[in-house]
Amino acid sequence: MPSLTAILERHRADFHPVVPFDAGRDRLYPFDFTEDNTELSPTTIASTEHFAGYINATLQRHKARYGIGGYGEHRTLYARSSHFNRPLVAGSETPRLDPGESEPRRLHLGVDIWGPAGTKVMAPLDGIVHSFAFNNNDSDYGSTIILTHQLDGVGFHTLYGHLSLNSLKNLYEGKNITKGEVIGEFGMRFENGNWPPHLHFQIIADMQGWKGDYPGVCRFSERQQWLDNCPDPNIILQLAGW
């Protein structure tokens, strides 16, 4: 059977945009949140207000509608929260985070799209609501929706994190979602995990028992197994100019 990545590649022309974007007019700015970005100090990252100021000023300076990036990126910025210092418990019946100290999670498994709160988020193809939740830990997803899709007889999932609380209204598991339907909007800091407004978009082959949540960051030493289960979201996003 073809891999999920191969199936997604075959259907590139079939995906609806996940966010409003005019390839002929809109610009994107590729953010770098690794240690190579010397513009970002620990102080700036630790303060959501300062971090948002950096995001907004950079987008304005480059006349970009969105900032984008992050898949497979080893991010130093996650030191801002102890949430990413807890590894996942291996073999636990209920997926959870290990309260013990170990290698911190720093490798990003999705793509982030940074832009104004209220930016519409749309389904790239038909599906159903797998699950949803308000993951209200500091630096977590905040409001989260996960959809299930089928392509060529293969099921997979898309995750939308850092949404508004309003995005979770009137949802129920199994609800039908049509391609292009507005499923949510970028949330503000009090509802999106205390981040500057953005969307975390991730593709997941196997949910591995998770509901309303799925890790968007893994330990670097375990990167291959997580990246294998979470193909490159750019196959669906296809944002021109990046």
Side-chain angles (χ1 to χ4, degrees):
M1 179 178 291
S3 69
L4 176 55
T5 296
I7 292 171
L8 293 172
E9 289 281 7
R10 190 158 62 225
H11 286 270
R12 269 184 170 269
D14 300 331
F15 302 124
H16 190 279
V18 172
V19 294
F21 183 75
D22 183 339
R25 181 185 63 188
D26 296 333
R27 294 183 180 180
L28 300 170
Y29 179 79
F31 277 112
D32 177 358
F33 293 136
T34 70
E35 62 185 7
D36 294 331
N37 186 346
T38 57
E39 291 184 349
L40 270 179
S41 69
T43 303
T44 299
I45 294 171
S47 165
T48 300
E49 183 177 352
H50 291 166
F51 192 16
Y54 166 79
I55 296 288
N56 294 334
T58 302
L59 294 182
Q60 186 174 15
R61 186 167 69 250
H62 292 275
K63 299 179 180 179
R65 182 169 186 175
Y66 302 115
I68 192 167
Y71 181 66
E73 187 174 62
H74 196 223
R75 290 182 163 181
T76 52
L77 69 86
Y78 288 128
R80 79 194 295 262
S81 171
S82 61
H83 178 68
F84 299 105
N85 292 335
R86 295 175 293 163
L88 302 170
V89 175
S92 63
E93 183 175 346
T94 302
R96 60 189 175 88
L97 297 176
D98 189 340
E101 292 298 324
S102 186
E103 178 189 348
R105 295 181 298 131
R106 295 287 185 268
L107 192 89
H108 195 242
L109 299 171
V111 164
D112 288 333
I113 305 173
W114 304 82
T119 297
K120 293 179 180 180
V121 177
M122 297 166 284
L125 68 166
D126 293 345
I128 63 170
V129 174
H130 172 276
S131 52
F132 56 96
F134 182 38
N135 296 297
N136 195 28
N137 300 303
D138 183 51
S139 298
D140 206 336
Y141 287 133
S143 301
T144 313
I145 296 173
I146 300 170
L147 304 182
T148 298
H149 312 279
Q150 289 272 343
L151 279 178
D152 298 345
V154 174
F156 65 98
H157 314 272
T158 52
L159 181 149
Y160 309 80
H162 311 297
L163 302 174
S164 69
L165 278 168
N166 191 56
S167 304
L168 304 184
K169 288 184 178 179
N170 303 316
L171 284 187
Y172 55 88
E173 293 183 11
K175 181 178 181 179
N176 287 318
I177 301 294
T178 58
K179 176 180 172 178
E181 180 178 343
V182 175
I183 60 170
E185 60 192 7
F186 291 17
M188 295 183 285
R189 59 182 294 183
F190 73 87
E191 57 191 353
N192 78 355
N194 196 30
W195 291 95
H198 72 290
L199 171 71
H200 172 98
F201 178 74
Q202 186 168 335
I203 303 171
I204 304 162
D206 182 355
M207 286 296 296
Q208 301 170 327
W210 291 77
K211 292 186 70 174
D213 191 11
Y214 187 85
V217 184
C218 72
R219 297 194 290 191
F220 186 78
S221 64
E222 299 172 344
R223 62 193 180 280
Q224 198 55 59
Q225 68 190 65
W226 289 95
L227 292 172
D228 286 346
N229 195 49
C230 299
D232 189 345
N234 297 300
I235 302 172
I236 288 179
L237 290 175
Q238 299 177 50
L239 287 169
W242 177 59

